[in-house]
Amino acid sequence: TVGSTDNGATVNKVVNKDGIDVTKYYDFTINSGTLTVNKRPLVIQTTNVSKTYDGTALEFSGYDYSQTPIANDQQIQFKNASLTDAGEIDIASNTTVWIFDNDNHDVSSNYDLSYQGDGKIIVNKRDIFLFSKTESKVYDATPLTANGYTITQGELVDGETIVPVYNQDITNVGWVNNLFTVTIVKADG
C-alpha cells in the first residue's frame, strides 16, 4: 500500500562473541529510517476517434499503457468513454479506470494515473440537404403555399424521421423563398 512509516529500530540486547550480555556497556541513539512506497505512475495514451452520426455510440477502447505497465499479477479495467449524439468529449475525463489485485481488491489508489495525448471522441453531424417544393399560380387574392420537400443529398439514420413545419406563403404578385423548419424525431420518441 502506498504510504510511509518509520523503520523504528530498538535494541533489546547486545551480546559479545561468547554470548554474554553486554547491553549495559552501550548507550544507543537510534535514528529511524523511513520506509516509503510511492504511487506507481500509470500513463494512459489516448488518440482521437471520430465518425459521422449514425445513432449508435462511438466508444473508445484503444487504451495504451505499455510505457508504464501495471504491477505483476494485477489487472486493469476500464469503463470506456462513449458518445452517441453529434459533438465531442474528452476521453480522459469520461473514462473510469480500476486496478485489481489477484484477490480482486481494488488497488487503484496505489497508482498515479495520468493521460498522454488529448484524445477526444468526435461524432460529426450528418449532412442532409433538403429542397423545398416550388409552386406558382396566377394571382387570385388567396395565399399560395407549397408543402413538401425532397432530400437531395444524404439520408436519415434508420428509425428517425423528419417533421417539417411550413411557415411561408405569398398572396400578392412576387416571389418568396419557400422556407420551412424541420425537427428530426427518433422512432422511440
Side-chain angles (χ1 to χ4, degrees):
T1 301
V2 171
S4 63
T5 186
D6 286 338
N7 188 12
T10 58
V11 177
N12 293 325
K13 186 176 186 182
V14 178
V15 294
N16 66 15
K17 65 180 179 179
D18 298 324
I20 298 171
D21 184 351
V22 292
T23 307
K24 66 182 179 184
Y25 303 119
Y26 293 92
D27 187 15
F28 288 97
T29 301
I30 298 175
N31 294 318
S32 298
T34 302
L35 301 175
T36 303
V37 176
N38 295 312
K39 287 189 174 196
R40 183 182 190 102
L42 179 60
V43 179
I44 297 175
Q45 308 238 343
T46 62
T47 57
N48 289 348
V49 292
S50 66
K51 72 172 185 176
T52 298
Y53 171 74
D54 65 3
T56 64
L58 175 57
E59 187 173 279
F60 182 82
S61 61
Y63 302 99
D64 177 9
Y65 53 94
S66 59
Q67 292 180 8
T68 58
I70 61 174
N72 291 336
D73 299 324
Q74 295 190 346
Q75 302 84 38
I76 191 166
Q77 293 182 7
F78 296 94
K79 179 180 178 233
N80 297 336
S82 68
L83 181 63
T84 299
D85 295 330
E88 79 176 42
I89 61 170
D90 178 67
I91 292 170
S93 60
N94 288 281
T95 298
T96 306
V97 178
W98 299 276
I99 301 162
F100 296 97
D101 65 15
N102 278 341
D103 295 323
N104 209 30
H105 297 117
D106 184 349
V107 295
S108 305
S109 63
N110 292 324
Y111 288 82
D112 184 16
L113 176 64
S114 63
Y115 289 87
Q116 190 171 56
D118 295 325
K120 298 197 180 308
I121 296 177
I122 303 164
V123 177
N124 297 306
K125 290 182 177 182
R126 187 177 196 87
D127 289 331
I128 296 183
F129 294 89
L130 304 174
F131 186 75
S132 63
K133 192 172 180 182
T134 298
E135 293 286 343
S136 65
K137 71 174 185 171
V138 174
Y139 174 76
D140 64 1
T142 62
L144 172 65
T145 61
N147 296 343
Y149 67 89
T150 303
I151 297 176
T152 59
Q153 183 178 338
E155 62 185 6
L156 292 173
V157 169
D158 286 342
E160 295 183 348
T161 58
I162 292 177
V163 177
V165 175
Y166 300 97
N167 48 17
Q168 193 66 57
D169 64 46
I170 186 171
T171 302
N172 296 319
V173 173
W175 69 272
V176 294
N177 286 324
N178 190 15
L179 303 176
F180 66 105
T181 59
V182 298
T183 303
I184 309 261
V185 178
K186 294 183 180 185
D188 60 5

